[in-house]
Amino acid sequence: HGSGAGGVEEGRKDGGMERLVELPESLLCELLRKFDTPELLALACTCRKLNEFVGAHVLEPGSEEYRKTKEAFLRQKLNRQRKAQRKANILECEIQDVNREMRTLKEEANELRNQERVDRKLYQEIGRGRSAGIALKTWAPAPVSVWHKKVVEQTPVSVDSRMEDLAAKLKVTKLLLKNVLQRMETKKRKLSVLEESLSSLKRTTPKM
C-alpha cells in the first residue's frame, strides 16, 4: 500500500480505510505498530474508528503521542467540516441562482403563451372577417356579423398582408417559446444535480 501521509490520504479516498478497520483486531494492531508516529497520526485522522483503535491499542493512553493523535483528529475533523460548509454555501447559492433563473424563464414562457393566444385569436378573427367580406359581396348582408364587417373595414392594410404578418409572428413566438422551455429543462436538470450534490455532502460531512 502507499506509505506516509500521501499513502494514507490515497487509502482514505479510495475506501481503503473502510476495509482496513474490518481486519481482525490482532492483525490490525500488528499492522499499525509498523507505522512511524507521523504516519500513525495521519492514519488516525482519517476516521473515528481508527482514531479510537490507535488510541486504545497502539499508543499508550496518556502519552504525548496519544494526546497528539486526539488533537490532530479533532483539527482534521474541524477542517473537513469547514471545507464542507464552504462547499455547501457555494452549492446553496448556485441553487438559489438557478431557482431565480427558472422563475424568470417561467414568466417569459407565460408572456409568450399569452402573446401566442392573442395573436392566434386575432388571426382567426381576421380570417372570419375576410370570409365576411366575401359574403358581403356575394351573399345577402343580413347573416353577416356586423363586428366582422367592421374588422374588414377597419383593417389599415390588406387582410391577406395582415394575416401573413400574424402568421410570421406566431411562428417566431412558437420558436421563442420552444427555446425558453428547453432552457427551463436544462435548468431543471442542473438544479437536480446541485440538490443531489448538496444532499450527498450533508450526508458525508462529519457532525459538529
Side-chain angles (χ1 to χ4, degrees), residues 26-208:
S26 58
L27 180 59
L28 181 58
C29 188
E30 180 180 350
L31 177 63
L32 294 180
R33 290 186 186 280
K34 299 181 182 295
F35 280 71
D36 295 331
T37 299
E39 295 175 335
L40 199 58
L41 292 176
L43 181 65
C45 288
T46 58
C47 73
R48 182 180 296 277
K49 287 183 179 179
L50 279 174
N51 183 267
E52 293 174 350
F53 187 87
V54 168
H57 301 284
V58 182
L59 298 177
E60 181 181 351
S63 66
E64 182 68 14
E65 288 80 6
Y66 180 83
R67 183 185 65 79
K68 287 181 178 180
T69 299
K70 289 294 182 182
E71 290 179 352
F73 175 74
L74 293 175
R75 282 197 305 271
Q76 186 77 3
K77 179 181 178 181
L78 183 60
N79 288 337
R80 290 201 301 269
Q81 289 169 338
R82 288 173 175 171
K83 183 178 180 180
Q85 186 58 54
R86 287 194 296 270
K87 188 173 181 179
N89 291 340
I90 293 172
L91 287 171
E92 288 171 351
C93 288
E94 290 182 355
I95 288 173
Q96 291 176 1
D97 289 342
V98 173
N99 277 322
R100 184 164 50 250
E101 291 168 356
M102 286 183 63
R103 286 194 297 269
T104 300
L105 288 171
K106 186 176 181 179
E107 292 173 358
E108 187 176 346
N110 288 335
E111 290 176 0
L112 288 169
R113 288 191 184 100
N114 291 334
Q115 185 63 52
E116 183 182 16
R117 281 194 292 269
V118 170
D119 290 341
R120 186 176 299 281
K121 182 178 179 180
L122 183 57
Y123 182 88
Q124 293 170 346
E125 294 296 349
I126 290 177
R128 294 190 188 101
R130 181 174 62 177
S131 299
I134 296 173
L136 285 171
K137 296 177 181 178
T138 59
W139 306 329
V144 177
S145 166
V146 175
W147 187 89
H148 287 142
K149 179 181 177 181
K150 289 182 178 179
V151 169
V152 176
E153 294 173 345
Q154 294 175 5
T155 304
V157 295
S158 71
V159 173
D160 289 339
S161 296
R162 180 62 172 149
M163 293 186 72
E164 288 176 4
D165 290 343
L166 282 171
K169 187 176 179 182
L170 279 167
K171 185 176 181 180
V172 172
T173 301
K174 286 181 179 180
L175 290 174
L176 290 173
L177 180 58
K178 181 180 179 181
N179 178 262
V180 169
L181 294 177
Q182 288 175 342
R183 288 161 61 194
M184 285 182 67
E185 287 301 316
T186 300
K187 296 297 180 183
K188 285 180 182 178
R189 290 193 293 270
K190 182 178 180 180
L191 181 62
S192 178
V193 171
L194 289 171
E195 289 176 338
E196 176 57 32
S197 297
L198 182 60
S199 177
S200 176
L201 181 65
K202 289 181 176 179
R203 288 195 303 268
T204 57
T205 300
K207 303 297 183 181
M208 297 293 289

Side-chain angles (χ1 to χ4, degrees), residues 2-11 38-39 42-43 46:
S3 62
V8 170
E9 179 66 17
E10 181 181 351
E39 295 175 335
L43 181 65
T46 58

